[in-house]
Every structure is written in structure tokens, then in C-alpha cells.
Amino acid sequence: MKKFDDDLEFESLNDEPRDTRFILPIIVVAVLLVIVIVALVLLGKNKDTSADLMSTEQSETTETETQTTEVIGNIATTESTEEVEADDPQNGNMGTDTGASVDVTALLSAGSVAESGETTFGIDVARYQGTIDWSQVAASGVQFAMIRVGYRTQKTGEIVADTNAKYNMQEAQANGIKIGVYFFSTAVTEDEAVQEADWVADYISQYQITYPVAFNCEGFENADSRQYAMTQSERTDMAIAFLNEIYNRGYTPMFYAAKNEMLGDAKWDTSRIEKTYKIWVSQYPSVPYPQTAQSDYTGTHAMWQYTNQGTVAGISKPVDVDIAYFGYAGTADAKSDVTPETVGADAEALMNFSDVNETVTAKQSTNLRNIPSQGSDATVVATLQNGETATRTGVSSSGWSRVSYNGQTLYAVSSYLTTDLGYTAPAANTAAETTTTDGSGSGDGLKTKFTACNDVVTAKIEVNLRTLPSVTNPDAAVVAVLKNGETVTRTGINTDYGWSRVDYNGQTLYCVSSYLTSAQ
């Protein structure tokens, strides 16, 4: 507080009339009394307001949990595996813990939209969920989505955008789902953490980010991690640097970790982080929400990821499901006035393609599709005939090739292609046709010869099972889809055309061999 100057008011105080000297002390005392009374009144109001707010929040939470139960009626659990990029630190296994709700209204928030105590229901997604139909997700009752926007690579330290991040933000926003985002960090210094935060803020600036921007860091105890030599305190400082910069850029920061990493400051200085920032805990009870009402994590937290095996309409892969103990009545405006470009989904999101550069032709003929799928979501753009050529630019272990054909990037089943530009399909074996129901030859499925075998297989990801070994014959109907983890007995294999014959629920069906892998 500023002090009086001896050369100003008080220098002539003794020269004032006696009445003035008595009046001044009385005025000062009166002013102080008024200030004290006003402060006491305001303090009493705050206590009443806090009590009312707590009562309102409890009432709203009870009502919302009832509503969320109806939403979660659309959610089931399933088992599956995911392909992971070699240098992507996120491995899909996000933890195995649970936690409890708290009042988070005092934590650091830079959101421009008023936060409420409503419990809200959401998911978190990355490219590993493939191409999401966000209209179906919205119809299922999902209120928010935490979308991975990128990561720093584990070995090289390069910052990389999630290949479906912009598509997911674009489509979630267009379908009325409120958006938050997260970044997977492998920063080793506070400067790197700030760099990551600035990259994220720039990347999301054209989108309406209402929910928090979260920091995610895992795998730091692996010997090949960039962060392996860091101390717990150093990692915590690095996380706080990221969260502070996110706040400085106008977004609400949030820290994500598994229960067993945060409880009792086990792997992070959680007691430092939770004082200032929202906490997002991952903990998976054996019985999911709402049967398990809340996480058993006893630390302060604002969001609970209660399973990584959710099934949501519009998403073909297992998905993480979240409960937030807060919500927003409105939607935030984008920080940037620039309208984002319209983007499509990453066709290769669920597959890892190795780059190649080689000329190929069809062994006989093969369809070239807009995405690497034989499902109804794929469109046949052209058919490559034997003798015609295309440039193969990528090969995936899932059985697909990426090709450049007439200026378009298209996809073909790898086993239908060959780099032998003089390749001629084997002639039909008439004698064999009289002794086997399969025969040999044409590729329409009617004369394909199989060598007997007996092994148990499953799909690498998923594969169509057809009535004939063909994708062109109109009678080759898809009877079932074999998913990774389900097993069938393979009874025959054809190496010329890449087909397998399998026994599925007592039926003899056919599928592309390169989509299969041994289940033993």
C-alpha cells in the first residue's frame, strides 16, 4: 500500500484549527468500520453461494447420471488388437486404474465458455480408430470427444500430426460434438514441452475447442524412450511447462495419466500438478460405468477414462470411453478467423505401408479401389488387366498395395499383382478339373485349385469370407467377416491367386490369404 509523503498532508497538521484535528481521526475510524462491515457481509454471501452451488451440483450430477446411463446403454465391450506405428509412443494400452469425482471449479481454466457442474459423456480417439462416422457417434449420445492431434516420436523427437486429427475435429464439430484434444509427449526439456504446446495451439486454432487440451506422456520407463534418464521431478516440470503454455495460449489445460502412476506421487509429482490443473485419470474397473459409479482413484480428478474397449456406433475399432465431471452450455469459438480447409479421412490410418517404387501388373485382373478395403465403404475406381502397368508406391503387411494409376492413388490386393511384367496366368488343368471340385485356372473363383492343408488361422485385422474365391464374380457373396481373435480352420491354399479355403461354422468359405495369420 502507498504511504503518505511527510511533505504533503501532514506537514501543516499542527497549524490546522483544533476542530479539524479532532474530525480527521473520527472520519478515518468511520471509514474503516464501514470497510469491515462490508467485508463481513460479502463473506457471508460467498458461504451461502458455495453451499447453494454444492447442492445444485449434486442435484445436477444425479440427474445427469440417469441420463448418461441411457446413453451408455448403446456402449458394449469387445476385444481387439491395433497396429501401432513404429515410432509412435502411443500403444493403445492406456492404463488399468479407476478414480473419484471432485469439485474442479477452482482449477486453471482459460475457456471462453462457462463451465458447469454437469456430468458429460465422451470418447477419446486417434487414427487407430480408423475412419469414424461422426454422425452415428453423435446419434449414439456422445457429448464430447478428446481427439489426438499429434505426438513427438520416440526415437527422433520429431513432432508429427495424427493423420486423422483434422478430419476428426472437422467432422465431430460438424455433427455437434464438443471437442477437446490431447498430445502425446516425449519431450525431454521444458523448452521442448513449450514447443509442443505451441505446436498444438497453432494446429487447433481454426477449430472450436471447448473441452480441455490434455498432456499425455507414457512409456518413459522403457529403455528405448527419449525420457528414460529423466527424473520424476524433471518430467513433472516438463508437464507443467506444457500445461502453462497451453493456458497462456487461451485453452484449458489438463493432465492425463493412469491411476497407478499418480496415486501417492508414484510416477509424477501429482500433488504439484493437481493444485492448478484438471486431472484426467485412466482406471478400468472390471465392471464398467455406470455399474461402477465412479473411479476408485482417490486423488483430485475432473475426467475418468473407464475403459479402452468401448463399442460406439460409427467406430469400427475399440474406443476409449470417458466421463467428465464438468460440461459446457455453449461452444467455444475458434481462435483463428481463418476457415480450415475441408479434409478427407486418412485411408491408410489402420495400416502401415512401407514405401516402394516399382512397376507392377495384374496376374490376371484386379480391382483398384479408393481405399484399402473390400467392404461396402470402398469404391472400385478401375480394373488393372494383365499387361497394363501401374506404379506401386507402398506395400502393407495387411495384404494391400498402394498404386499410382492414371494420376490417382488407389489400392489393390497385393497377391493379385506381380512385378513380372511378362507374367502369364497358368493354363487350366483339365485333368485336375475332373478330379477336384476346385480345379485350377481362371480367377473367377470357379476353377481355382487348392492344395490341402490343416491349420488354425485368424484375421490380421478383419477379412471377408465369401462363397467363392473371387472378388469379381457376382456369385461370390460375403457370408461373414472374420475379425482378429476369431479363429477358423484353413483346409486349403492357392498360391497363384492368393486365396485360402476355410471351414467356418460348418461352411466352406474363401478369403484372401494375405489377410490371415496363424492363430497358434
Side-chain angles (χ1 to χ4, degrees):
M1 180 179 292
K2 185 177 178 180
K3 296 182 179 179
F4 286 110
D5 191 324
D6 291 341
D7 295 331
L8 297 178
E9 283 108 315
F10 291 144
E11 73 174 344
S12 59
L13 185 61
N14 292 330
D15 297 330
E16 291 181 1
R18 179 178 303 219
D19 290 344
T20 303
R21 286 180 306 198
F22 285 127
I23 290 171
L24 278 175
I26 293 172
I27 292 174
V28 171
V29 171
V31 170
L32 290 174
L33 284 173
V34 170
I35 291 172
V36 170
I37 291 170
V38 170
L40 289 173
V41 170
L42 289 176
L43 181 60
K45 277 190 172 184
N46 285 340
K47 287 183 178 179
D48 292 340
T49 302
S50 297
D52 291 342
L53 179 58
M54 289 178 64
S55 175
T56 302
E57 287 177 347
Q58 290 169 354
S59 174
E60 288 176 348
T61 299
T62 302
E63 179 181 354
T64 307
E65 284 177 353
T66 302
Q67 295 170 349
T68 305
T69 300
E70 297 173 1
V71 171
I72 295 174
N74 296 323
I75 305 300
T77 58
T78 185
E79 293 184 359
S80 183
T81 59
E82 299 176 342
E83 292 187 0
V84 182
E85 281 184 312
D87 208 14
D88 184 344
Q90 182 171 346
N91 60 15
N93 298 317
M94 304 295 285
T96 55
D97 303 326
T98 0
S101 60
V102 295
D103 181 3
V104 298
T105 55
L107 301 178
L108 202 59
S109 174
S112 58
V113 180
E115 183 179 312
S116 72
E118 176 190 12
T119 298
T120 51
F121 167 70
I123 56 177
D124 57 276
V125 299
R127 74 177 186 90
Y128 300 108
Q129 276 67 50
T131 301
I132 296 173
D133 184 337
W134 285 98
S135 63
Q136 290 190 50
V137 174
S140 74
V142 169
Q143 295 166 288
F144 72 89
M146 298 296 294
I147 295 169
R148 186 177 81 155
V149 291
Y151 59 92
R152 188 188 288 274
T153 57
Q154 192 72 274
K155 296 178 182 177
T156 65
E158 177 187 3
I159 294 178
V160 179
D162 185 295
T163 55
N164 261 337
K166 288 187 176 180
Y167 176 80
N168 284 335
M169 289 190 290
Q170 166 188 288
E171 295 303 308
Q173 180 176 303
N175 284 280
I177 296 173
K178 291 182 173 65
I179 308 168
V181 302
Y182 72 95
F183 181 86
F184 210 107
S185 172
T186 62
V188 294
T189 66
E190 292 181 43
D191 286 344
E192 280 194 352
V194 171
Q195 179 193 30
E196 292 174 348
D198 285 333
W199 182 91
V200 171
D202 291 339
Y203 192 83
I204 65 178
S205 63
Q206 297 174 347
Y207 299 90
Q208 295 173 299
I209 308 301
T210 306
Y211 273 72
V213 174
F215 172 90
N216 182 196
C217 175
E218 301 175 44
F220 43 80
E221 292 183 310
N222 296 333
D224 58 352
S225 170
R226 300 177 75 233
Q227 300 169 321
Y228 184 67
M230 296 179 71
T231 66
Q232 178 171 316
S233 178
E234 288 171 338
R235 283 199 318 274
T236 302
D237 289 341
M238 178 262 297
I240 289 173
F242 178 99
L243 297 168
N244 275 339
E245 185 64 10
I246 286 298
Y247 177 74
N248 292 337
R249 295 296 298 269
Y251 297 99
T252 298
M254 184 164 65
F255 176 81
Y256 170 93
K259 167 194 168 182
N260 62 351
E261 292 182 359
M262 291 193 291
L263 195 61
D265 287 359
K267 303 295 181 183
W268 298 91
D269 295 345
T270 317
S271 54
R272 281 204 284 151
I273 298 171
E274 67 184 7
K275 292 177 181 177
T276 309
Y277 308 101
K278 281 181 168 63
I279 297 290
W280 178 13
V281 65
S282 139
Q283 184 268 321
Y284 308 148
S286 57
V287 179
Y289 183 92
Q291 289 83 2
T292 299
Q294 63 182 24
S295 167
D296 63 16
Y297 174 60
T298 54
T300 298
H301 64 284
M303 190 181 291
W304 171 30
Q305 181 189 84
Y306 68 84
T307 183
N308 62 355
Q309 294 292 308
T311 299
V312 178
I315 305 179
S316 63
K317 308 298 290 184
V319 64
D320 300 336
V321 189
D322 304 280
I323 293 296
Y325 301 109
F326 59 94
Y328 301 92
T331 301
D333 293 329
K335 303 295 183 187
S336 171
D337 294 331
V338 178
T339 302
E341 62 176 341
T342 301
V343 298
D346 175 21
E348 301 176 12
L350 293 176
M351 301 178 185
N352 294 320
F353 279 80
S354 299
D355 291 337
V356 297
N357 185 7
E358 55 194 16
T359 303
V360 294
T361 188
K363 291 179 179 177
Q364 184 169 21
S365 67
T366 184
N367 289 327
L368 304 181
R369 302 168 185 269
N370 63 329
I371 61 174
S373 170
Q374 292 180 323
S376 59
D377 55 338
T379 301
V380 175
V381 177
T383 300
L384 185 70
Q385 302 291 344
N386 177 259
E388 290 185 283
T389 61
T391 301
R392 177 155 55 187
T393 61
V395 178
S396 169
S397 61
S398 59
W400 285 94
S401 287
R402 184 204 310 125
V403 300
S404 176
Y405 180 78
N406 290 341
Q408 295 177 279
T409 297
L410 302 172
Y411 300 87
V413 175
S414 296
S415 59
Y416 294 169
L417 300 174
T418 177
T419 55
D420 179 2
L421 303 185
Y423 181 89
T424 302
N429 186 334
T430 305
E433 290 176 15
T434 63
T435 59
T436 175
T437 57
D438 293 320
S440 66
S442 72
D444 64 0
L446 298 176
K447 300 178 181 180
T448 306
K449 183 177 180 179
F450 286 86
T451 300
C453 62
N454 185 8
D455 59 329
V456 179
V457 294
T458 186
K460 291 177 179 177
I461 301 177
E462 61 181 36
V463 62
N464 291 329
L465 303 182
R466 300 174 180 268
T467 53
L468 289 173
S470 172
V471 293
T472 57
N473 191 317
D475 294 328
V478 176
V479 175
V481 177
L482 183 71
K483 296 183 180 296
N484 178 266
E486 295 181 277
T487 61
V488 293
T489 300
R490 176 160 54 187
T491 62
I493 190 165
N494 172 278
T495 56
D496 290 328
Y497 297 104
W499 283 93
S500 286
R501 181 181 64 212
V502 300
D503 181 25
Y504 178 81
N505 292 341
Q507 295 176 278
T508 297
L509 300 174
Y510 303 88
C511 61
V512 177
S513 298
S514 59
Y515 292 176
L516 298 175
T517 186
S518 174
Q520 297 176 336

